[in-house]
Amino acid sequence: MKIFYSILIGYFLGNFLFAYVISYLKTGQSPTTFGSGNPGTANVGAVLGKQYGILVLIFDLAKTVLAMWLSYLLFPALGRMVILYAGLGVTLGHNFPIWLKFKGGKGVAVAVAIVLLYNPLWGLVSLLVALALLLVTQYLALGGIAILLADTILGLFFYPKSAWIILLLLTLIMIFRFWSDLVDIRYQRAKKVDLLKRFRK
């Protein structure tokens, strides 16, 4: 039951999508009505400005850390695995929020927090792999998926089996959320994003 409650705490906090809060405060509109339609960092940053995208990123990271911290305080016996259990819950809440009829974001910021906090070294390696792939291909979807995919592959060699299973599940969820983007990439319909150019603006 400790694992279930840890996931539940994460799901509850994951339901707070700060892209909606910031978008409504700035424009009075839902982030699903502009840009790519995704209620996340990249879309808010692209349409409203990078400072607002950074705010969304910070708050999404914060809710993930909060879920992990609360879960650890309540269930210290779970050890480091509490990071993955709570992280899974936040991912489910962020991607499939009950108040939005299970239509939420893609959970890239959440994934960043999960891989870095579970194992800072291999998490950082995974982020660098994802960043390199993003800079080369300029596809946000590939960069997002690569964060968890790289950590899952590393987990085969360096993590306990239980941790690897959770990471594999998180990777599959990420692929599912980005599936339409992958199809667009396959048929060369996907929009490319020059990350360096965007941050120079």
Side-chain angles (χ1 to χ4, degrees), residues 81-176:
M81 282 300 296
V82 78
I83 293 172
L84 296 181
Y85 295 137
L88 174 61
V90 176
T91 298
L92 293 172
H94 183 90
N95 292 3
F96 312 105
I98 192 168
W99 65 281
L100 287 172
K101 299 179 180 178
F102 306 104
K103 295 179 181 179
K106 292 186 168 71
V108 174
V110 177
V112 170
I114 292 171
V115 300
L116 280 179
L117 291 175
Y118 182 72
N119 188 300
L121 173 61
W122 298 124
L124 179 60
V125 171
S126 299
L127 290 182
L128 291 175
V129 169
L131 179 60
L133 185 63
L134 173 58
L135 291 175
V136 170
T137 66
Q138 298 186 347
Y139 289 126
L140 289 174
L142 296 183
I145 292 170
I147 295 170
L148 287 168
L149 181 59
D151 208 45
T152 301
I153 293 171
L154 288 167
L156 277 170
F157 304 98
F158 302 110
Y159 297 164
K161 185 178 179 181
S162 55
W164 180 82
I165 290 172
I166 297 294
L167 285 168
L168 177 61
L169 178 57
L170 288 166
T171 302
L172 293 175
I173 292 171
M174 184 75 83
I175 291 172
F176 173 76

Side-chain angles (χ1 to χ4, degrees), residues 9-31:
I9 289 169
Y11 184 81
F12 173 75
L13 290 172
N15 267 257
F16 292 91
L17 284 104
F18 290 97
Y20 277 85
V21 177
I22 291 171
S23 296
Y24 275 115
L25 288 175
K26 175 66 176 175
T27 68
Q29 294 181 312
S30 164

